Amino acid sequence: METYAMRINGEDIGKELPPLEVNNPATGEIIATVPHAGANEAKQAVDAASQAFKSWSQYSAYERSEVIRKWHDLINEHKEDLARTMTIEQGKPLKESRGEINYANGFISWYAEEGKRVYGEQIPATQRNKRLFVQKQPVGVVAVITPWNFPAAMITRKVAPALATGCTVVIKPAEQTPITAIKLALLAEEAGIPKGVINVVTGDPKAIGETWLEDERVRKLTFTGSTEVGKLLMKGSADTVKKVSLELGGHAPVIVTNDADLDKAVEGVMGSKFRNAGQTCVCSNRIYVHESIVEPFTDKLVEEVKKLKVGNGLEDGVNIGPLIDEQAVSKVQSHVEDAEQKGAKVFYQGENQDGLFFDPVVVRDTTDDMICMTEETFGPLVPIATFKSEEEAIHRANDSIYGLSAYVFTENITKGITISEHLEYGIVGLNDGLPSTPQAPFGGFKQSGLGREGGHHGIEEYLETKYISVGL
Ligand code: ADP
């Protein structure tokens, strides 16, 4: 078992603090400890970030780009170690962990370049003797609070654009997955990112969160996690009027129309449903299939689902690792039971339900009153419902407080675009089960969040606009 320290101001901090145990969800084994830190260390991290901001913000965009790029290259060199670390602390299959490191690193290389394109403006003045300039500046110290489902990507997606603009960060990774975060910070230091620019604090979420919310030096909060905690943090940001970006829960609908290519639709649903054992906020959560094709669609889907291998993510050929904890297992189980009680048919259910492993379940004839059709399941359950008209499907898909991602499968381009435009969702995958990529904006409508991550939209979240009016 290893003991990790936090990284604050380029130093190992907190080894004397009580330990916070990190488990391997596949085996239940305690694999490491990190410090169980609180308010003091959270403040210490802001002191460091605030000090570092003075010089980091003065680097030229090109100087920052160069060191950020080195961070990217070091992550590439250490990909295998980072991927194994991730699988051991989070559970996802090694192949997916490698994919996540590539995806996470994609944000770093993309923003290393995008930082060079933070342009200002000159606006024509009314008077001859005036010049009006607009300049973009980094917001300052950014608090980054991330979840366990993407231990690397949720960090780099926030930290890369923040650093590229000249901001400095204090990161609180999820209790379940702090080691990937600490390793990323160590590689950043090795790359030459100055001390204090990236600080990682592990431990008590509430104490750390409150300290950062109260500290007026923290000018921006960026959070990915549950809608419940997101609302709390948004309220807490009001007292110091912080900028806020939130990426919260989803409840993604999939609409499969009567002219869909069934192979494409099944492939799309398989990709979006089972990644990370169904534990992503963009996982398809409810499938609406036109009544005329529900039989062949379900048969084809079940054929594919049967091929999925559930097990320890370190083993070859495993497609689905364990769920993150007992609570996650009970939640999926309760969604299945509720659907069954309310009249749904369990069409397919695997047999391995040991420990935190949960074999995929396919449920047919679901109705809108079932929990799986109104709440995010965050697990490998596929509920299938039927619809008669596209208007009905759009209405049912939009009938939710969430609006993160939605999927449409159709071979009719007019129908595809029309349905996509009517969906109240921030991301639509049209014949595409995996739309997310570093150069495109990711984020939700309604209670799924605020702001966007990725693309040129994502860098705006870390910038202040300054207007300079010059009298000649
Ligand atoms: P999940 O259900 O995915 O675990 P959470 O919203 O509980 O989602 O957790 C996401 C992140 O928010 C984690 O890093 C967690 O420690 C942190 N968190 C949870 N509660 C609070 C809080 N009260 N203040 C600040 N951060 C919190």
Side-chain angles (χ1 to χ4, degrees):
M1 193 184 67
E2 291 180 84
T3 310
Y4 287 87
M6 302 179 288
R7 293 302 293 176
I8 299 179
N9 209 24
E11 287 169 25
D12 274 347
I13 300 287
K15 281 207 165 165
E16 74 292 353
L17 292 171
L20 176 67
E21 291 174 345
V22 183
N23 287 297
N24 178 342
T27 60
E29 204 187 333
I30 297 162
I31 48 162
T33 65
V34 295
H36 192 273
N40 288 342
E41 295 72 27
K43 179 178 173 298
Q44 199 181 339
V46 180
D47 293 345
S50 164
Q51 186 60 29
F53 179 73
K54 291 181 189 151
S55 56
W56 181 245
S57 58
Q58 296 307 309
Y59 276 48
S60 78
Y62 280 73
E63 289 168 328
R64 283 194 295 262
S65 173
E66 206 171 308
V67 272
I68 295 171
R69 184 77 212 185
K70 279 195 192 132
W71 186 27
H72 165 274
D73 296 346
L74 279 178
I75 290 174
N76 234 355
E77 275 174 37
H78 291 82
K79 193 193 296 181
E80 200 52 30
D81 173 59
L82 289 166
R84 289 186 79 82
T85 300
M86 192 187 296
T87 292
I88 292 168
E89 70 176 347
Q90 199 273 344
K92 67 177 66 180
L94 198 50
K95 191 164 158 252
E96 278 191 37
S97 294
R98 291 186 185 117
E100 183 183 334
I101 297 297
N102 285 337
Y103 173 64
N105 223 2
F107 286 96
I108 299 181
S109 55
W110 204 82
Y111 282 111
E113 293 309 311
E114 192 62 6
K116 299 173 186 170
R117 287 183 279 272
V118 176
Y119 301 137
E121 290 169 74
Q122 189 190 345
I123 300 171
T126 320
Q127 300 95 326
R128 290 182 184 189
N129 63 344
K130 276 202 173 192
R131 299 291 180 271
L132 317 182
F133 298 110
V134 177
Q135 185 171 308
K136 297 288 176 79
Q137 290 184 197
V139 292
V141 175
V142 178
V144 174
I145 301 181
T146 53
W148 49 263
N149 62 346
F150 288 96
M154 294 305 104
I155 290 180
T156 61
R157 183 150 96 165
K158 299 170 182 343
V159 172
L163 261 55
T165 64
C167 293
T168 56
V169 300
V170 291
I171 306 171
K172 198 209 79 64
E175 304 81 294
Q176 297 91 336
T177 58
I179 308 170
T180 306
I182 291 169
K183 287 191 170 181
L184 286 175
L186 285 166
L187 290 174
E189 289 169 25
E190 197 181 324
I193 292 178
K195 65 176 190 174
V197 171
I198 297 181
N199 306 278
V200 178
V201 185
T202 55
D204 182 346
K206 204 158 173 277
I208 297 166
E210 275 170 10
T211 306
W212 290 349
L213 288 175
E214 285 163 14
D215 196 321
E216 61 189 23
R217 295 171 299 171
V218 175
R219 294 308 318 139
K220 157 106 194 168
L221 171 88
T222 173
F223 170 79
T224 297
S226 62
T227 301
E228 184 194 350
V229 174
K231 287 179 181 175
L232 208 92
L233 295 174
M234 190 175 172
K235 282 183 193 151
S237 296
D239 280 346
T240 51
V241 194
K242 294 186 205 311
K243 281 181 180 292
V244 179
S245 295
L246 303 171
E247 207 268 275
L248 310 175
H251 180 41
V254 181
I255 298 176
V256 184
T257 65
N258 54 2
D259 51 31
D261 176 324
L262 285 189
D263 290 330
K264 263 194 222 169
V266 167
E267 190 191 334
V269 170
M270 292 298 293
S272 89
K273 176 70 248 184
F274 294 110
R275 199 154 59 113
N276 205 9
Q279 302 172 110
T280 89
C281 45
V282 292
C283 276
S284 43
N285 209 66
R286 48 197 168 120
I287 324 284
Y288 301 101
V289 183
H290 190 269
E291 58 179 5
S292 64
I293 54 160
V294 71
E295 302 294 337
F297 173 85
T298 313
D299 291 344
K300 241 182 212 302
L301 185 82
V302 168
E303 226 175 89
E304 292 305 311
V305 170
K306 280 182 179 162
K307 294 179 191 162
L308 296 173
K309 187 175 163 199
V310 180
N312 186 326
L314 290 178
E315 283 167 24
D316 272 349
V318 164
N319 310 97
I320 299 187
L323 297 185
I324 193 72
D325 54 24
E326 292 289 348
Q327 226 182 324
V329 172
S330 325
K331 185 173 183 191
V332 186
Q333 217 137 30
S334 72
H335 283 208
V336 176
E337 282 162 19
D338 172 79
E340 258 189 299
Q341 269 166 26
K342 291 179 180 155
K345 266 206 256 3
V346 174
F347 211 74
Y348 172 77
Q349 178 155 27
E351 279 154 21
N352 180 4
Q353 320 285 1
D354 291 340
L356 301 181
F357 295 105
F358 204 101
D359 258 13
V361 185
V362 180
V363 174
R364 270 275 307 274
D365 304 332
T366 54
T367 47
D368 296 351
D369 58 334
M370 297 174 184
I371 299 174
C372 61
M373 301 306 274
T374 55
E375 275 181 31
E376 189 173 35
T377 305
F378 236 56
L381 163 66
V382 191
I384 301 173
T386 56
F387 67 87
K388 288 186 199 306
S389 73
E390 276 115 36
E391 290 70 28
E392 175 202 337
I394 293 168
H395 172 77
R396 288 166 70 188
N398 284 340
D399 189 14
S400 168
I401 59 163
Y402 298 109
L404 187 57
S405 67
Y407 303 90
V408 184
F409 291 91
T410 175
E411 289 300 291
N412 178 328
I413 189 74
T414 307
K415 218 186 245 186
I417 291 176
T418 309
I419 297 175
S420 300
E421 287 181 354
H422 281 88
L423 287 169
E424 294 161 0
Y425 286 81
I427 304 160
V428 178
L430 176 50
N431 291 328
D432 183 4
L434 300 168
S436 117
T437 177
Q439 66 272 34
F442 185 107
F445 283 19
K446 302 190 204 168
Q447 295 185 34
S448 284
L450 278 182
R452 292 295 179 270
E453 297 187 312
H456 68 86
H457 318 78
I459 208 163
E460 289 295 329
E461 307 279 334
Y462 300 94
L463 292 167
E464 281 283 16
T465 298
K466 180 174 286 174
Y467 161 50
I468 304 174
S469 175
V470 183
L472 299 178

